[in-house]
Amino acid sequence: MADEIPQLEAIRRILGDAVLDAHTARGEDVIVIRRDGLVESFKRLKEDPALAFDFLSDLTAVDYFGKKEPRFEVVYHLLSLGSGRRVRVKVPVGESSPEVDSLVSLWRAADWMEREVWDMFGIRFRGHPDLRRILLYEEFRGYPLRKDYPVNQRQPLVPERALKGTFVDMRSNNKLAQLKQQLEKQKLAGADSKRG
Amino acid sequence: MIVDLAIVAVKAFLVLFMVLNLAGILGWVERKGSALIQDRIGANRASIFGFAGMGLVNTLIADPIKMLTKEDFIPAHGDRLMHTLAPCLALFPALVTFAVIPFGDVLVVGGREINLQVANLNIGILYIFAMASLSVYGIVIGAWASNNKFSLLGGVRGAAQMVSYEIAMGLSVIGIVIVYGTLEPQAMVRAQGELFWGWLPAWGVVRQPLAFLLFFTAAVAETKRLPFDAPEGESEIVAGYHVEYSGGKFLMFFAGEFAEVVTAAGLVTTLFFGGWQVPYLLRDGFYFPWGSVVSLAPLTVTILQVAAFTVKVLFFCWLQIILRWTLPRFRYDQIMRLGWKMLLPAALVNLFLTAAWIVVRRPV
Amino acid sequence: MIVFFILAFLTLLFSLLVVTQRNVVHSAMALAATLFVMAVLFLTLDAPMLGVLQILVYAGAIMILILFVIMLLNPLSIEARPAAWWMLGSLGAAALCLQLAALVHRPAVSAEAAVPASFGGPESIAQSLFTDFALPFGLASVLLLVAIIGAVALAQRQR
Amino acid sequence: MKAEVKELPQDIMELQMGPSHPATHGTIKFNLKLDGERVVDCDTEVGYLHRGFDKSSEQGTWTQVIPYTDRLNYVSPLINNVGYALAVERLLGVETTPRCQFIRVVASEISRITDHLTCCGMAASELGAITAGFYMIEAREMLMRIVEALTGARLTVTYVRIGGLKHDLPEGFAAQVKDAFEKTRRLLADVEKLLSHNRIFIDRMSNVGVISKETAVSYGLTGPVLRSTGVNYDVRKLQPYLVYDQMDFTVPLGSHGDNYDRFIVRVEEIEQSMRIVEQALEKMPTGPISIEDPRIVLPDKEKVYNSIEGLMHHFKIIMEGVHVPPGEVYQAVEGGNGELGFYLVSDGGGRPYRVRVRPPCFIAMGAFREMIRGYTVADIVPTFGMINMIGGECDR
């Protein structure tokens, strides 16, 4: 495990004590970093000229339910387009507060991938601009890729969602009438403010 | 009087019959033709006892039966009256335009002169444009009455496109009108029987090649077929203005489109390709430029002329089908750009040059 | 004569529909139909040029644009106009009726002038447009151009 | 009064394009906000084809995942097979035989050609150039027959096994490939005449869906979409797997990052892939197609029926699965649409603990909003078409 190659040494040097563990396994460099200051660590990995991991290849999570503590690991695969070096970055996340910082500010690819991890594992990403379920629907209960989610679990039926703008009856959508209503509202609002 | 009326009625019926059937046949030709172009077999199910040659006839019958027996669906929030009216409005102009297109010279039977043309209007060209301008109604009303956003988009696209291309089409024809000095289709066709330098038929395409290109492009755009099918754009806005149509009403839109193809072909033939004129064929036979003469009976000449007209029309129908299966679709704004920024100026330049040429040639 | 009466009746019917229909698109279509029937009326009066132009310009172009706007804005129910508008409208209608009655009363005007054979044909219309009425024609064109430029400018400012 | 009249009512039309729409093949929905025909905003909804690939994979043995991988990118299923098998083999710490590696290269590249042909053909026919689309589909059909001859199926191939292949190349395979490539090249020449130099097509494709180098990298785009911007990233070149380092091929690059460049990159890649297949077939070594390890590869039927060891191994692989030592691995291969990564975690048992796929087109769809904003509704068709979203892979 302690068999360090130059890349890992460089990472250790640059990230300092944010690195909990670094090793090479099956030809792949793996580092485990602290959850706090995550964005800062990734920023260094991305922007330090010696590392230049400018490409977020993959972002996912693994649930080590009953095998490891803390339970979750968020796994990032970074790639340096210039040299073709890869590194796997793992961030342990506990069950009590499944939250990590979002990387959307660094890589926009993180947007959808983080949404997927939220969808499947229920790990929240702080600072994500639009954290919604992505593959499943909003009414889905539970997080299916957690190991304690039974594979044959059935979901309750949900009523049809009244989506805004799905079917607009053009007759009710009378633009002139709308304009008039708006004006009336404004008038009312004006009257109210005067009174108040 | 009654005989005259009867003759007009027979002519009108004949033309209507021919156009509608040709539209139906084109439906089959398009399927088979596209299959030919694309290395496929194409429609081969409608056949009598496996005799594929009957496919044509059968498709003519099977298509309407299939369409007419389908459920006629009117969207819940659509406008029932307008929804029903729209397909009629789409089909009607395409059919009546053919009325002023001459398909033969004057035929003399028993001392009675029969003009092989349903209505001989002295302003036939204007009539054609008037009718063409009406065909927008079908699209706009159909799109609106469906109460569907996709069809609304299609309707807006269609209205803008057709109004724009009518202008280019009209201006390109004015050049031809100036050259012939008449608005009467029959007179135009007759004028195309002349010869340049004794051998070149003075067809419109020879006198006004640019006008032909502009007119043909605009005419294809008016039929709303590829590459100008942005109002339908089945992969973008599903089927555009007729997305909510089914059954008989869709059949009318469908037939209207093919009738427009036939009409466009008829117009191009009449205006630019000598209509019923056969090169060197005069009233009593062929007079070839090298001096030989083949005398023919008047009836044979008429038959030859009608046949020549039909062949030319079929050729241009086929050309439109080939175009449709070769080119990708324009984007809506590209269609507009082509119409306003290229066709319109080109038509104006053509018009100006033609007028200048006429003035120079014949000082008043 | 019978044809005339049928067409006149249709014209009146459709024009009444224009005013009475509550649905704007229906009234627009009724207006288009009115224009179309009037064009046929012109045809029966041996003025084919006028009839065809009526269809080409009014039914084919102007009505389409009106429909276009209606479709885009979709104002379906018409608000009730204040009584003053009704008063003005009826006054205008009454004035028009009076004028019409006066014309009908003195029908002798047109009968005197002999109608030339080419009357209402493309040549005579073009002749008068480009000689006698060249100035009004040009002025009208400029007016339309100004209107177009104004519309474009208004639309551009929205962006 | 005047102030009110000045403001023309101009509002945003919301249009829901999909999930059932002729252009959204693969089932996807765009919630569009339109200003006239211009796309102001586009919220892409995916997941209509979600069937729980990850979860299902955790239920079966390592080998039983292979059929699931067929259904990821079902337009190039062989690449998915190869990628998964490579990942498992790396976890096992074994390497397959040379012949197997060459055959895998051949299979992957044929799959890539079918992928690109489908993508380009569909995009063309959605732009109305149905004939060109049919030509490409015809070429694909020829290659599909090769795939069928090789694997016995057209889409659900399940050809690759952990440690080897299901069976060897069929007889006369090289001749069949040669014949098919000849026809494909002819058809592609036709397509080039019909499309690549067609003014309408160029107008529709170029300067549409433009994305810059930096944005593309930031969005994690890979494959033709990334290479169209000029970024030279191809897994086959950057981190050669199998025997790609022995092959002579170039990676076509675009420069504008628009749809036309993507189209051209794909068409060029078809030619490069054909070159790779031809080289691989030429260099094809003889020998076994699977490694000789009875703990990983099923023994021959003869051994199963005649020896107790054979029967035991067969039973163990079928019932318990291949025992993969604990650990994790990320194996990327160049899929039809970009970097197809398999991140596997093993807990030492016969079943995978976690199977994660990095789906290239899911990530590309994430950038779709960026690509389409400011363009028109009609531009959605080519832009979406050139991303080549495959529902099975995007939604898993």
Side-chain angles (χ1 to χ4, degrees), chain B residues 133 135-137 139-141 143 151-168 218 221-222 224 228 230-231 241 331-340, chain C residues 60-61 64-69 71-72, chain D residues 37:
Chain B
S133 69
S135 59
V136 190
Y137 278 104
I139 297 172
V140 174
I141 292 299
S151 73
L152 189 73
L153 277 176
V156 171
R157 284 176 175 193
Q161 174 181 333
M162 295 189 68
V163 169
S164 310
Y165 276 77
E166 253 160 42
I167 295 170
E222 288 281 297
K224 303 176 295 299
F228 296 99
Y241 59 92
R331 202 170 58 209
Y332 168 61
D333 56 328
Q334 289 167 348
I335 291 184
M336 285 295 144
R337 200 176 306 140
L338 181 74
W340 287 102
Chain C
I64 289 292
L65 291 182
I66 292 177
L67 264 180
F68 200 84
V69 172
M71 240 168 61
L72 286 181
Chain D
E37 291 241 351

Side-chain angles (χ1 to χ4, degrees), chain A:
Chain A
M1 283 287 174
D3 162 39
E4 288 196 358
I5 62 156
Q7 178 173 313
L8 286 183
E9 265 168 30
I11 291 175
R12 256 190 206 284
R13 200 185 63 239
I14 287 157
L15 293 190
D17 57 356
V19 180
L20 297 174
D21 180 32
H23 61 268
T24 302
R26 293 182 170 93
E28 291 178 330
D29 293 343
V30 185
I31 58 170
V32 183
I33 62 169
R34 255 180 240 288
R35 182 163 59 149
D36 307 321
L38 173 95
V39 178
E40 183 57 31
S41 306
F42 274 103
K43 198 169 178 181
R44 285 193 192 151
L45 284 173
K46 184 187 176 189
E47 285 167 7
D48 191 281
L51 302 174
F53 287 111
D54 48 359
F55 194 87
L56 176 65
S57 218
D58 193 17
L59 191 167
T60 187
V62 186
D63 177 12
Y64 293 102
F65 182 57
K67 287 191 182 252
K68 242 190 209 179
E69 203 52 50
R71 178 177 166 182
F72 299 109
E73 252 176 18
V74 181
V75 185
Y76 304 81
H77 287 96
L78 300 182
L79 168 73
S80 168
L81 280 179
S83 59
R85 285 175 288 112
R86 283 181 193 274
V87 71
R88 179 182 308 133
V89 183
K90 302 208 278 188
V91 180
V93 179
E95 191 180 358
S96 51
S97 67
E99 276 192 338
V100 285
D101 287 331
S102 168
L103 290 188
V104 176
S105 55
L106 292 179
W107 289 284
R108 283 194 265 178
D111 186 343
W112 275 35
M113 294 198 259
E114 282 174 357
R115 272 175 75 185
E116 193 190 333
V117 172
W118 156 246
D119 195 358
M120 294 294 160
F121 290 92
I123 297 174
R124 281 198 165 276
F125 288 85
R126 274 187 301 251
H128 189 284
D130 181 27
L131 198 63
R132 284 177 292 152
R133 283 191 182 270
I134 186 161
L135 292 175
L136 301 173
Y137 45 99
E138 285 303 322
E139 290 86 352
F140 195 91
R141 287 191 206 156
Y143 304 100
L145 281 191
R146 289 189 175 186
K147 289 285 176 185
D148 51 0
Y149 183 93
V151 71
N152 52 359
Q153 170 88 49
R154 281 192 173 271
Q155 288 284 324
L157 293 172
V158 286
E160 194 180 333
R161 222 180 305 165
L163 264 182
K164 215 183 97 194
T166 28
F167 183 74
V168 181
D169 184 358
M170 296 306 260
R171 265 173 284 199
S172 67
N173 199 16
N174 178 353
K175 302 280 160 60
L176 284 182
Q178 277 182 353
L179 276 178
K180 227 164 85 181
Q181 277 176 358
Q182 271 176 8
L183 285 176
E184 272 171 10
K185 253 186 214 164
Q186 280 170 4
K187 260 185 218 161
L188 279 178
D192 280 348
S193 64
K194 266 175 209 161
R195 238 178 284 147

Side-chain angles (χ1 to χ4, degrees), chain D residues 53 62-63 65-67 69-70 72 77-96 100 104 108 158-166 241-242 291 296 322 324 329 331-333 340-344 355:
Chain D
F53 168 81
W62 289 97
T63 318
V65 176
I66 295 176
T69 65
D70 289 343
L72 285 173
L78 281 160
I79 303 181
N80 310 332
N81 282 185
V82 169
Y84 175 74
L86 277 176
V88 180
E89 282 155 18
R90 268 185 60 199
L91 266 179
L92 285 163
V94 297
E95 193 166 290
T96 48
C100 167
R104 281 181 182 183
S108 306
T158 319
Y159 176 58
V160 177
R161 292 285 182 276
I162 297 163
L165 299 166
K166 181 165 160 257
Y241 51 97
L242 294 172
I291 50 174
I296 297 171
V322 181
V324 176
V329 73
Q331 172 67 45
V333 294
L340 177 74
F342 283 91
Y343 172 59
L344 307 180
V355 179

Side-chain angles (χ1 to χ4, degrees), chain B residues 9-254:
Chain B
V10 165
K11 282 193 295 191
F13 174 77
L14 255 179
V15 166
L16 200 63
F17 182 79
M18 287 304 290
V19 171
L20 274 178
N21 273 297
L22 202 52
I25 290 169
L26 279 185
W28 181 80
V29 171
E30 178 142 89
R31 281 169 213 174
K32 276 295 193 189
S34 65
L36 195 71
I37 294 169
Q38 296 166 351
D39 296 353
R40 295 183 287 120
I41 298 168
N44 62 346
R45 293 290 138 156
S47 59
I48 294 178
F49 305 121
F51 180 45
M54 295 301 287
L56 196 162
V57 181
N58 272 3
T59 316
L60 266 183
I61 305 162
D63 246 7
I65 289 177
K66 184 196 84 173
M67 300 261 202
L68 288 171
T69 49
K70 275 187 175 177
E71 185 193 351
D72 175 31
F73 181 80
I74 297 175
H77 295 272
D79 187 313
R80 293 189 76 87
L81 175 68
M82 291 295 154
H83 192 269
T84 315
L85 194 60
C88 314
L89 289 175
L91 185 58
F92 164 76
L95 291 181
V96 294
T97 312
F98 228 88
V100 294
I101 294 177
F103 52 91
D105 201 354
V106 174
L107 178 67
V108 184
V109 179
R112 189 185 288 278
E113 284 197 349
I114 302 172
N115 205 351
L116 290 186
Q117 183 185 17
V118 178
N120 189 15
L121 276 180
N122 60 350
I123 45 159
I125 299 295
L126 286 181
Y127 169 84
I128 290 166
F129 285 115
M131 288 304 135
S133 69
L134 285 185
S135 59
V136 190
Y137 278 104
I139 297 172
V140 174
I141 292 299
W144 178 83
S146 303
N147 190 34
N148 179 315
K149 284 175 181 171
F150 286 111
S151 73
L152 189 73
L153 277 176
V156 171
R157 284 176 175 193
Q161 174 181 333
M162 295 189 68
V163 169
S164 310
Y165 276 77
E166 253 160 42
I167 295 170
M169 190 156 104
L171 281 176
S172 63
V173 165
I174 291 191
I176 268 261
V177 170
I178 292 179
V179 169
Y180 294 134
T182 177
L183 284 168
E184 198 183 328
Q186 185 69 285
M188 285 184 163
V189 173
R190 221 163 268 147
Q192 293 182 58
E194 293 168 17
L195 296 176
F196 281 139
W197 307 297
W199 60 272
L200 186 64
W203 287 358
V205 67
V206 180
R207 299 194 193 203
Q208 293 268 305
L210 182 60
F212 161 67
L213 285 177
L214 298 174
F215 182 83
F216 189 59
T217 315
V220 173
E222 288 281 297
T223 59
K224 303 176 295 299
R225 285 159 60 82
L226 273 164
F228 296 99
D229 75 336
E232 288 174 38
E234 69 268 72
S235 57
E236 302 155 11
I237 49 170
V238 196
Y241 59 92
H242 58 57
V243 62
E244 296 283 9
Y245 279 92
S246 62
K249 291 182 195 163
F250 176 74
L251 176 69
M252 288 174 84
F253 271 119
F254 189 67

Side-chain angles (χ1 to χ4, degrees), chain C residues 20-96:
Chain C
T20 51
Q21 281 291 319
R22 293 208 67 80
N23 187 324
V24 187
V25 173
H26 286 184
S27 356
M29 282 310 289
L31 185 53
T34 314
L35 293 170
F36 186 80
V37 177
M38 274 170 75
V40 179
L41 208 57
F42 283 131
L43 283 180
T44 57
L45 292 174
D46 274 339
M49 177 76 181
L50 217 53
V52 166
L53 281 185
Q54 169 106 356
I55 296 180
L56 189 59
V57 177
Y58 286 100
I62 293 178
M63 276 317 294
I64 289 292
L65 291 182
I66 292 177
L67 264 180
F68 200 84
V69 172
I70 291 175
M71 240 168 61
L72 286 181
L73 297 182
N74 213 25
L76 276 167
S77 69
I78 303 166
E79 301 123 286
R81 298 248 178 241
W85 279 106
W86 282 110
M87 292 282 284
L88 268 178
S90 9
L91 269 178
L96 275 174

Side-chain angles (χ1 to χ4, degrees), chain D residues 263-281:
Chain D
F263 182 83
I264 295 297
V265 163
R266 279 191 194 263
V267 173
E268 290 288 315
E269 269 182 30
I270 294 174
E271 177 57 36
Q272 296 301 328
S273 292
M274 288 199 276
R275 275 181 63 198
I276 296 175
V277 172
E278 281 160 355
Q279 290 172 42
L281 285 176

